[in-house]
C-alpha cells in the first residue's frame, strides 16, 4: 500500500506529477496539502491514530513550475514511456536499447527536438525514414498529432491513471481515452 502513487495537484488543480504514499502522508500531516480523494478502503495506523490513505492531494499554496527544465529531464526515457516502448511506425515493441528517437519533421528540414516532434522508432524504421517526413517516406505514424500535442507530462500521468479512476477528473482524461481508443481501433 505504501508503494502506490498519489497524484499531486497544484493549488490551481493543475496536475504536477505523482509522489509516493509515504511522502504524501508527510505533506498532509505537515499541513502542506489537503486531501482531495482517498484510496478506497486503505488505512494506515499510527500508535494513536488511523489515517485514510490519500489518492489525490492538492497543495495549499500555489507554486510556480519551471516547465522547461522538467520537460528536458529524462526526455528520452519519458518519450519511450509515452509511446509504450513501441515503434510508432511499424508497431513493434522493443527494449530501450533497440529504440531510437525519430524527428517526425526531420532536423534537416528544420524540425525541432521537442517532445511533440519526437517519437519512438526502431532502428530499422528510423534508417528507412531518413531525412524525410512521414508523408514523404510514406510511413504513416501510429500515434496522432492530437496525442503528441497533449504534452509528455499529461500523457505519462494518464498512463499511471489507467488503474486510478479517481484521478480521471483531475487529468481531463476524456480526450486522451478517446484518442487512444481511436488509434487502437
Ligand atoms: Zn519500426
Amino acid at each position: 500500500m505504501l508503494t502506490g502513487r498519489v497524484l499531486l495537484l497544484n493549488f490551481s488543480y493543475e496536475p504536477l506529477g505523482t509522489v509516493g504514499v509515504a511522502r504524501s502522508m508527510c505533506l498532509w500531516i505537515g499541513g502542506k496539502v489537503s486531501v482531495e480523494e482517498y484510496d478506497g478502503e486503505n488505512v494506515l495506523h499510527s500508535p494513536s491514530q488511523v489515517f485514510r490513505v490519500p489518492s489525490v492531494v492538492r497543495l495549499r499554496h500555489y507554486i510556480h513550475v519551471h516547465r522547461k527544465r522538467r520537460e528536458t529531464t529524462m526526455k528520452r526515457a519519458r518519450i519511450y514511456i509515452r509511446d509504450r516502448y513501441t515503434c510508432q511506425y511499424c508497431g513493434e515493441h522493443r527494449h530501450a536499447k533497440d529504440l531510437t528517437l525519430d524527428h517526425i519533421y526531420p532536423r534537416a528540414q528544420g524540425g525541432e527536438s521537442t517532445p511533440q516532434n519526437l517519437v519512438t522508432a526502431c532502428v530499422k524504421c528510423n534508417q528507412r525514414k531518413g531525412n524525410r517526413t512521414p508523408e514523404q517516406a510514406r510511413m504513416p505514424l501510429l500515434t496522432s498529432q492530437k496525442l503528441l500535442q497533449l504534452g509528455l507530462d499529461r500523457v505519462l500521468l494518464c498512463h499511471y491513471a489507467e488503474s486510478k479512476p479517481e484521478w480521471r477528473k483531475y487529468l481531463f482524461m476524456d480526450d486522451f481515452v478517446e484518442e487512444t481508443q481511436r488509434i487502437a481501433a
Side-chain angles (χ1 to χ4, degrees):
M1 174 212 312
L2 278 170
T3 59
R5 304 299 295 174
V6 175
L7 179 64
L8 176 67
L9 304 173
N10 209 338
F11 180 71
S12 59
Y13 285 96
E14 178 199 4
L16 293 173
T18 65
V19 291
V21 169
R23 174 93 184 115
S24 76
M25 299 290 285
C26 289
L27 291 170
W28 181 26
I29 293 162
K32 304 274 190 233
V33 298
S34 54
V35 177
E36 296 291 323
E37 304 280 340
Y38 291 94
D39 179 19
E41 300 302 308
N42 287 330
V43 292
L44 283 178
H45 296 268
S46 82
S48 56
Q49 274 178 290
V50 177
F51 296 98
R52 291 170 75 193
V53 173
S55 180
V56 180
V57 295
R58 180 165 73 111
L59 290 172
R60 289 185 179 276
H61 298 284
Y62 183 80
I63 58 157
H64 292 274
V65 185
H66 303 288
R67 281 233 165 260
K68 260 225 154 75
R69 198 178 61 206
R70 294 203 317 145
E71 282 282 308
T72 51
T73 315
M74 303 277 296
K75 190 164 74 179
R76 174 177 298 270
R78 286 150 54 88
I79 288 172
Y80 289 167
I81 296 169
R82 180 196 67 191
D83 298 339
R84 298 173 193 271
Y85 292 88
T86 301
C87 172
Q88 295 301 304
Y89 294 104
C90 69
E92 279 206 42
H93 189 269
R94 305 256 177 179
H95 286 290
K97 64 175 171 56
D98 301 318
L99 291 171
T100 62
L101 288 182
D102 174 64
H103 286 73
I104 301 169
Y105 194 74
R107 252 182 310 192
Q109 298 186 38
E112 290 181 10
S113 297
T114 57
Q116 290 79 17
N117 192 44
L118 289 167
V119 282
T120 305
C122 68
V123 176
K124 214 167 124 188
C125 288
N126 200 334
Q127 281 172 356
R128 204 180 120 208
K129 179 168 169 281
N131 284 331
R132 297 178 294 178
T133 65
E135 294 73 30
Q136 289 164 345
R138 298 185 186 209
M139 294 170 68
L141 274 173
L142 295 177
T143 187
S144 70
Q145 274 307 318
K146 201 170 162 191
L147 209 56
L148 291 169
Q149 297 307 326
L150 279 180
L152 266 186
D153 286 337
R154 186 95 182 270
V155 173
L156 292 185
L157 281 175
C158 289
H159 286 335
Y160 280 129
E162 282 170 2
S163 58
K164 302 260 188 187
E166 69 273 22
W167 290 14
R168 250 182 108 124
K169 64 176 185 250
Y170 300 99
L171 298 175
F172 305 99
M173 267 179 78
D174 292 342
D175 275 4
F176 172 80
V177 171
E178 253 172 48
E179 198 57 16
T180 44
Q181 282 169 352
R182 199 185 61 77
I183 291 166

